[in-house]
Amino acid sequence: MAGCISFTATRDRFFRFSFSNAGLKSITTDLGHGTIMHCWAPKAHNYSKPNILLLHGFGANAMWQWNDFLPQLRRRFNVYVPDLLFFGDSHTARPDRSEAFQAQSVAALLQAHGVWTSSIVGISYGGFVAYSLAAQFPERVEKVVLCCAGVCFEEKDLDEGMFQVKSVDEAAKILLPQTPEKLRQLLRLAFAKPAKVLPTCFLTDYINVMCTENVQERKELIEALYKDRKLSNLPKITQPTLIIWGEKDLVFPIELAHRLKRHLGENADIVVIKKAGHAVNVEKAKEMYKHLRSFLIDSTTPTVHKNRSNGRYVD
């Protein structure tokens, strides 16, 4: 990588400073049975504030995915941002790769921090974990926001051509890019307007910093999502739920947002953000926060969502 500084490592250090400056501290917790989880947690928990849990997806680490939301959310919530298992400094010796086990680990992590109830926002894979957490521990989850999280897809959807990829193995090679071309392919799928010029040295640097650890374990996480997945096996969560989707999402097509709305019924609402792809938290962070605020802060009772439409488009 002659001629290129490590832009990725430099940006990562900036995000660490940003999280610390926002009043969060980096904590690693031993949950037992070979499971270690890292989390950004408040330096001083404010018992007069509600709690919020932010769950990341594949791609860049949790700091990169949530940094833009910290300044606003920290004023209203005690913010907890964990690394899911096999991301960042979280790992396990257990063989279970299901989102159910991820959710159980997150629940144990929150309990270790003395947090009993919280609202949850999950992006993509983090949305799968958020949904499972809400289903398994309903008394501990107040509200749920699912961002571009195709929790209601079925294994047969892959065979029927719903996705841009033809197999789980192809999906894993894109979601876990090991070459600049695969990373370019991921960016084309994730962004409505991907950057037109991306120097190979920067892409290689990003891969070296972000994409080389726990590759096999992360692939197994993807495989576990697809295996024998059926909508009929998906429980209906009971918490008020907001579904946020990018209009041009090519990773999880927008049909999955409407399928999830139908599955959850009046308990859920949809916001479709125009001119945004799968990485809606990056492309349209301000618009996304506006809807987070409306749902999590401005609404005072769960019934506020029951008379909303099946979906609204937002520019």
Side-chain angles (χ1 to χ4, degrees), residues 30-74:
D30 188 342
L31 301 178
H33 306 288
T35 300
I36 306 290
M37 290 200 78
H38 170 265
C39 184
W40 288 94
K43 293 177 181 177
H45 186 96
N46 186 334
Y47 289 93
S48 68
K49 292 181 179 180
N51 305 310
I52 192 166
L53 174 68
L54 306 179
L55 299 180
H56 65 84
F58 278 76
N61 63 38
M63 294 185 297
W64 289 54
Q65 295 185 35
W66 290 116
N67 183 72
D68 289 346
F69 298 86
L70 275 186
Q72 302 92 335
L73 290 175
R74 66 179 288 268

Side-chain angles (χ1 to χ4, degrees), residues 140-208:
R140 298 184 59 180
V141 178
E142 296 168 344
K143 293 183 178 182
V144 181
V145 182
L146 304 172
C147 305
C148 300
V151 295
C152 59
F153 86 87
E154 300 186 277
E155 187 177 27
K156 67 178 183 179
D157 292 330
L158 188 63
D159 299 326
E160 294 176 357
M162 173 179 281
F163 301 109
Q164 297 288 313
V165 296
K166 306 301 182 185
S167 67
V168 176
D169 186 63
E170 184 182 354
K173 288 180 179 178
I174 296 173
L175 291 172
L176 306 170
Q178 299 300 300
T179 66
E181 183 48 44
K182 286 298 180 186
L183 181 51
R184 288 189 179 96
Q185 191 174 354
L186 174 59
L187 295 174
R188 289 194 295 269
L189 292 176
F191 288 85
K193 293 184 177 180
K196 293 182 179 180
V197 179
L198 290 168
T200 297
C201 67
F202 282 100
L203 296 175
T204 301
D205 175 59
Y206 178 88
I207 291 169
N208 289 338

Side-chain angles (χ1 to χ4, degrees), residues 49-311:
K49 292 181 179 180
N51 305 310
I52 192 166
L53 174 68
L54 306 179
L55 299 180
H56 65 84
F58 278 76
N61 63 38
M63 294 185 297
W64 289 54
Q65 295 185 35
W66 290 116
N67 183 72
D68 289 346
F69 298 86
L70 275 186
Q72 302 92 335
L73 290 175
R74 66 179 288 268
R75 290 195 290 266
R76 301 279 188 159
F77 297 93
N78 295 303
V79 180
Y80 292 84
V81 190
D83 289 327
L84 296 175
L85 294 173
F86 300 115
F87 296 89
D89 294 324
S90 297
H91 55 88
T92 184
R94 300 275 295 276
D96 195 338
R97 300 292 182 260
S98 67
E99 69 260 43
F101 178 64
Q102 286 272 20
Q104 292 159 16
S105 300
V106 172
L109 175 70
L110 290 178
Q111 186 171 346
H113 283 283
V115 176
W116 182 249
T117 61
S118 69
S119 292
I120 312 176
V121 186
I123 296 174
S124 193
Y125 178 69
F128 285 79
V129 179
Y131 195 99
S132 183
L133 190 60
Q136 293 186 75
F137 307 96
E139 73 285 356
R140 298 184 59 180
V141 178
E142 296 168 344
K143 293 183 178 182
V144 181
V145 182
L146 304 172
C147 305
C148 300
V151 295
C152 59
F153 86 87
E154 300 186 277
E155 187 177 27
K156 67 178 183 179
D157 292 330
L158 188 63
D159 299 326
E160 294 176 357
M162 173 179 281
F163 301 109
Q164 297 288 313
V165 296
K166 306 301 182 185
S167 67
V168 176
D169 186 63
E170 184 182 354
K173 288 180 179 178
I174 296 173
L175 291 172
L176 306 170
Q178 299 300 300
T179 66
E181 183 48 44
K182 286 298 180 186
L183 181 51
R184 288 189 179 96
Q185 191 174 354
L186 174 59
L187 295 174
R188 289 194 295 269
L189 292 176
F191 288 85
K193 293 184 177 180
K196 293 182 179 180
V197 179
L198 290 168
T200 297
C201 67
F202 282 100
L203 296 175
T204 301
D205 175 59
Y206 178 88
I207 291 169
N208 289 338
V209 175
M210 290 287 175
C211 305
T212 57
E213 294 185 351
N214 302 317
V215 175
Q216 179 57 36
E217 290 84 357
R218 293 183 192 182
K219 181 180 179 182
E220 292 167 2
L221 295 177
I222 296 170
E223 292 169 344
L225 286 183
Y226 281 85
K227 185 174 176 57
D228 300 324
R229 194 172 194 92
K230 294 181 180 179
L231 182 60
S232 59
N233 294 332
L234 186 69
K236 293 185 179 181
I237 59 175
T238 57
Q239 297 86 349
T241 301
L242 178 64
I243 303 165
I244 298 178
W245 225 271
E247 177 190 28
K248 299 182 181 299
D249 191 340
L250 297 178
V251 176
F252 287 123
I254 198 169
E255 162 57 24
L256 294 176
H258 296 292
R259 184 188 293 180
L260 181 57
K261 163 61 183 170
R262 292 192 297 269
H263 183 70
L264 294 178
E266 293 185 349
N267 202 45
D269 190 23
I270 301 176
V271 168
V272 179
I273 298 181
K274 295 180 68 175
K275 300 178 183 178
H278 187 68
V280 65
N281 58 307
V282 178
E283 288 189 296
K284 298 289 184 177
K286 290 182 180 179
E287 289 89 335
M288 179 172 155
Y289 175 72
K290 180 176 68 174
H291 297 295
L292 292 180
R293 174 173 179 148
S294 176
F295 178 69
L296 296 171
I297 300 171
D298 295 340
S299 62
T300 57
T301 63
T303 55
V304 72
H305 302 285
K306 290 197 173 182
N307 293 323
R308 291 185 176 179
S309 64
N310 286 343

